[in-house]
Amino acid sequence: MAADDPDDHARADDDLRVGTPERERAISLLNDAFSGGYLDVTEFEDRSGHVYGSRIRSDLRRAVADLPTANRLFPDAAPPVVPAGPAIQLPQTVYDGDWKTVRRKGAWRPEPNMLFSGSMGSIDLDFSAARMPAPLIDIELQVSASTVKIKLGPDQELRVDGLVTSGWSSIKDKAGSPQRAGGQIIQVRGALTGLSGMVVKRSRITGT
């Protein structure tokens, strides 16, 4: 009897739906590839956009197919060579903004995956001089009756497609488009509720 072909296993589950855990694993692989010099900024941005729009496994496979770590995307799809363990996911750092101010500015180092939660608080994040650890930073907001301020650098891009507002909450984007291409992406998702407000500003290029 012929040995099973790993490619046959992959093709068999190409139409399975994917969710947040699978997309986050794909983004983690793209971050590693960018850090290792396998992708440039443009390739990373194109592929990360494809990942967030993926609905089935074959969509995600196309985003990482030519990377050395592609076999880590779906550990269950290939015959195991070691005892199976939990799926590798990007850890999430949690910040409590309940009735307090959480402020980060200057040359701070953001975690790649952060959650800010709470009520009646203030979250002030200045990325303009931050030491960014990856080309994409993922922020989840779960706040109510709170104020969120985000300041971007000249070339950084903010994406809020996954951020939901309710209860008279609002988003005011005073930053506009990046002044130059090739900067990091800050992805904000989650929920602003109960009269919460988010204001986005941008530092400008000086001396030009």
Side-chain angles (χ1 to χ4, degrees):
M1 181 180 295
D4 289 341
D5 185 345
D7 289 338
D8 291 339
H9 289 266
R11 285 190 291 269
D13 66 6
D14 269 352
D15 292 332
L16 288 180
R17 301 281 293 188
V18 295
T20 299
E22 291 84 5
R23 295 187 190 99
E24 288 184 349
R25 192 183 306 125
I27 290 296
S28 179
L29 295 179
L30 293 179
N31 272 324
D32 290 345
F34 179 85
S35 300
Y38 294 99
L39 298 175
D40 61 27
V41 171
T42 300
E43 290 174 315
F44 175 85
E45 290 180 349
D46 289 344
R47 294 187 189 212
S48 62
H50 179 80
V51 165
Y52 282 114
S54 294
R55 293 293 178 267
I56 58 177
R57 286 193 170 193
S58 60
D59 294 334
L60 286 184
R61 284 195 173 102
R62 283 193 290 272
V64 302
D66 59 348
L67 301 180
T69 55
N71 64 336
R72 290 167 47 196
L73 180 59
F74 299 116
D76 60 313
V81 295
V82 295
I88 299 174
Q89 296 187 30
L90 203 62
Q92 188 175 59
T93 303
V94 179
Y95 291 92
D96 179 11
D98 204 26
W99 290 84
K100 66 181 69 170
T101 296
V102 178
R103 180 178 290 111
R104 295 293 184 272
K105 63 180 181 178
W108 67 294
R109 185 178 178 85
E111 291 84 0
N113 190 5
M114 297 180 286
L115 166 64
F116 295 87
S117 63
S119 300
M120 303 297 293
S122 178
I123 299 166
D124 190 350
L125 306 176
D126 185 346
F127 292 97
S128 60
R131 299 170 59 191
M132 305 291 272
L136 184 142
I137 300 295
D138 187 82
I139 297 174
E140 181 180 354
L141 296 177
Q142 296 294 342
V143 299
S144 63
S146 297
T147 300
V148 180
K149 299 178 182 178
I150 294 180
K151 187 174 184 180
L152 306 173
D155 57 352
Q156 293 169 343
E157 178 185 350
L158 184 74
R159 296 179 180 175
V160 294
D161 296 343
L163 184 60
V164 177
T165 60
S166 63
W168 298 94
S169 297
S170 63
I171 301 172
K172 294 183 180 179
D173 185 357
K174 300 181 179 180
S177 301
Q179 292 177 262
R180 56 192 179 194
Q184 299 93 356
I185 298 169
I186 299 167
Q187 175 82 30
V188 181
R189 56 189 175 85
L192 295 172
T193 63
L195 281 171
S196 293
M198 186 172 85
V199 178
V200 185
K201 297 182 179 181
R202 182 184 302 279
S203 63
R204 300 296 172 180
I205 299 175
T206 59
T208 58

